[in-house]
Amino acid sequence: SLLATLLSLVSLGAYGVGADSECSWSKTPLQAAVLCGIIGHYACCAGDTWASELGILDPFGAPRLITQPFRCVPPGTNGGVSLVGTGASLAGGTFIGLVAWLAGPEGETVNVVLLGAAAGLGGSLLDSVLGATCQVTRYDDGLARVVASGGRVICGREVLSNVQVNVVSVVATSAAAAFFGPRLLC
């Protein structure tokens, strides 16, 4: 992704490559923030993807609209959340945090797993709120499913596209991880 690549280039430009350019959480606040931003980026992406792909399979009932929790919505509705999907977003972020912990700098605390979990869950929930409010969802009664065009509007407004919702949630989550992560890890 572009944002993670840019963050990686910032780290590379600031700290170089080689034996004397050891990656460290405590070396400088900027390096810690960049590393946390990268983790937040991938955790948000994984959390949202896992929630979308697995949440739609939830056998425990219809998803609920995140902005109106007592309103059931069809699977695939932007802003629809389910128990399985929410758990999947937490698991996706936790997975990214676990990989970062296992592959990251020596001396890294297990708190990086918590950072990944928080970014995965938080980013996915932010994506759902934006989807429910700023992205239109249409439903075709004849086909009995959510459709990209045609059908009636069941929630949201035509403010952002799906790609734009994803970009906003990833940038916001990366920024939050870059800001709060070093405080959690250092």
Side-chain angles (χ1 to χ4, degrees):
S1 160
L2 179 63
L3 179 60
T5 300
L6 291 174
L7 289 172
S8 297
L9 290 174
V10 166
S11 181
L12 180 64
Y15 304 104
V17 178
D20 61 338
S21 62
E22 177 183 332
C23 181
S24 170
W25 294 111
S26 58
K27 196 172 196 178
T28 69
L30 176 62
Q31 187 174 29
V34 168
L35 292 172
C36 290
I38 293 168
I39 292 167
H41 172 275
Y42 285 113
C44 178
C45 292
D48 182 48
T49 300
W50 289 26
S52 298
E53 299 302 324
L54 299 175
I56 202 165
L57 304 174
D58 192 337
F60 302 113
R64 309 273 179 169
L65 193 61
I66 194 165
T67 56
Q68 299 174 17
F70 297 107
R71 180 178 166 197
C72 292
V73 292
T77 299
N78 298 313
V81 294
S82 67
L83 183 62
V84 169
T86 302
S89 70
L90 182 63
T94 301
F95 174 76
I96 296 299
L98 185 61
V99 169
W101 180 54
L102 294 173
E106 187 176 323
E108 189 173 313
T109 69
V110 73
N111 286 347
V112 75
V113 178
L114 298 175
L115 175 65
L121 180 63
S124 179
L125 293 175
L126 175 59
D127 185 277
S128 293
V129 169
L130 291 171
T133 57
C134 300
Q135 182 182 359
V136 72
T137 299
R138 298 177 182 281
Y139 186 83
D140 186 307
D141 293 307
L143 297 173
R145 65 181 175 96
V146 171
V147 293
S149 60
R152 62 183 169 89
V153 174
I154 58 172
C155 70
R157 296 188 186 125
E158 290 192 47
V159 177
L160 299 174
S161 69
N162 187 56
V163 170
Q164 292 167 328
V165 165
N166 290 337
V167 167
V168 171
S169 62
V170 166
V171 168
T173 302
S174 298
F179 182 78
F180 292 109
R183 290 154 180 77
L184 177 68
L185 299 173
C186 297

